[in-house]
DNA sequence: ACAAAAAAAGCAACATTGTTGCAAAAGAAA
DNA sequence: TTTCTTTTGCAACAATGTTGCTTTTTTTGT
């Protein structure tokens, strides 16, 4: 128990250090939320979910930092609520490199990264050149079935 | 010239009638914007683009109505700015049925519907069932190349 | 372990975006 | 035209996101 907690804590610090970020309470707590979470988190979730309340500005700035560093990525949605999820591919300050698809449940609205499914290649019309493909599937998830 | 204008006007009215919507000035003007536009429009674009200024509430409500009726559809984005585009497939009050992909230009940020490209089928993990697939490609468009 | 320097958090004030209820105006129907 | 219904515009509000600046926390060098 104590061991597990220590390990989780170590993992947090390791991730932050790898990205040359200073170790702060906010970053640890917000990152912790992502690690113990299956799906993606919207800004609002984070503000509420955290036991103690963060300043809204801190959450915004921390998420921005995480996105810049390639720790989390943004999932595009149709409902004006940006969702963030941990990057599992090779993301860094240089650029994000997520190629998996996302799944949003119609029922519980949880957003999942389906890491094993790779976005297919697309043949674009003449004149267009693609850099990145985002794919979001809507439907019913494994828990709501 | 006069003929062309009359025709365009007729087209507007036809679309509104087909969807059993009353013919109003706001609806005509907003629909007009979509018809004379290659890409997609965000809420803000519409407020600004219109020669005369619409009340913000009117724009929100009109867009909502158009989405409900299946006249326009929402394009998911990663930047918290919902974009709307005309539906060209079989959309109605019952449900949207758009299967084309979208393209967002890194440079000019114009959003295009690539109507000729159909979203590929995806094999989902066990337990998940898909209803709709959204696909957005980011890159450089034909005009910015 | 401590002090100085650097970075991040918190606060306040503000800007933008989206929502709701209601009265006035415009459109449809007769 | 007159009545009835729908839509618009306004005002007030709520939620979300941003910026500058001060205080606190974290790092670094000793």
């Amino acid at each position: 128990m104590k061991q597990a907690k220590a390990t989780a804590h170590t993992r947090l610090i390791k991730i932050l250090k790898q990205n040359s970020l200073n170790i702060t309470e906010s970053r640890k707590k917000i990152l912790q939320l992502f690690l113990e979470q299956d799906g993606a988190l919207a800004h609002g979730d984070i503000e509420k979910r955290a036991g103690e309340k963060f300043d809204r500005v801190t959450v915004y700035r921390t998420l921005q930092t995480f996105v810049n560093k390639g720790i989390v990525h943004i999932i595009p949605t149709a409902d004006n609520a940006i969702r963030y999820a941990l990057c599992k591919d090779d993301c860094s300050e240089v650029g994000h490199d997520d190629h998996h698809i996302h799944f949003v449940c119609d029922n519980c609205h949880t957003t999942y990264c389906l890491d094993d499914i790779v976005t297919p290649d697309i043949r674009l019309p003449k004149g267009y050149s693609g850099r990145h493909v985002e794919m979001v599937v809507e439907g019913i998830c494994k828990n709501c079935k």
Side-chain angles (χ1 to χ4, degrees), chain A residues 13-126:
Chain A
I13 295 188
K14 191 178 156 200
I15 293 176
L16 292 174
K17 287 216 167 144
Q18 271 175 355
N19 290 281
S20 48
L21 287 176
N22 290 341
I23 314 298
T24 72
E25 280 306 303
S26 313
R27 285 175 185 163
K28 279 193 288 185
K29 278 179 192 150
I30 293 176
L31 187 50
Q32 176 72 44
L33 285 178
F34 279 106
L35 290 176
E36 65 194 23
Q37 160 86 19
D38 195 8
L41 292 169
H43 173 96
D45 296 331
I46 296 171
E47 259 188 86
K48 288 160 207 157
R49 198 86 64 98
E52 302 148 64
K53 308 299 170 205
F54 295 106
D55 188 81
R56 200 143 42 92
V57 180
T58 302
V59 177
Y60 281 116
R61 290 200 267 230
T62 304
L63 287 173
Q64 191 56 58
T65 304
F66 285 180
V67 171
N68 289 342
K69 290 293 185 178
I71 298 176
V72 303
H73 60 273
I74 291 179
I75 303 176
T77 60
D79 69 350
N80 235 12
I82 290 184
R83 265 174 264 281
Y84 302 85
L86 275 184
C87 292
K88 291 171 188 169
D89 298 332
D90 294 324
C91 297
S92 73
E93 212 155 349
V94 180
H96 284 266
D97 193 28
D98 288 303
H99 291 304
H100 60 273
I101 75 170
H102 296 109
F103 186 93
V104 182
C105 181
D106 288 330
N107 185 246
C108 66
H109 302 107
T110 305
T111 302
Y112 302 91
C113 295
L114 302 182
D115 297 286
D116 298 334
I117 303 180
V118 170
T119 52
D121 280 337
I122 296 293
R123 176 177 293 275
L124 294 169
K126 211 172 164 66

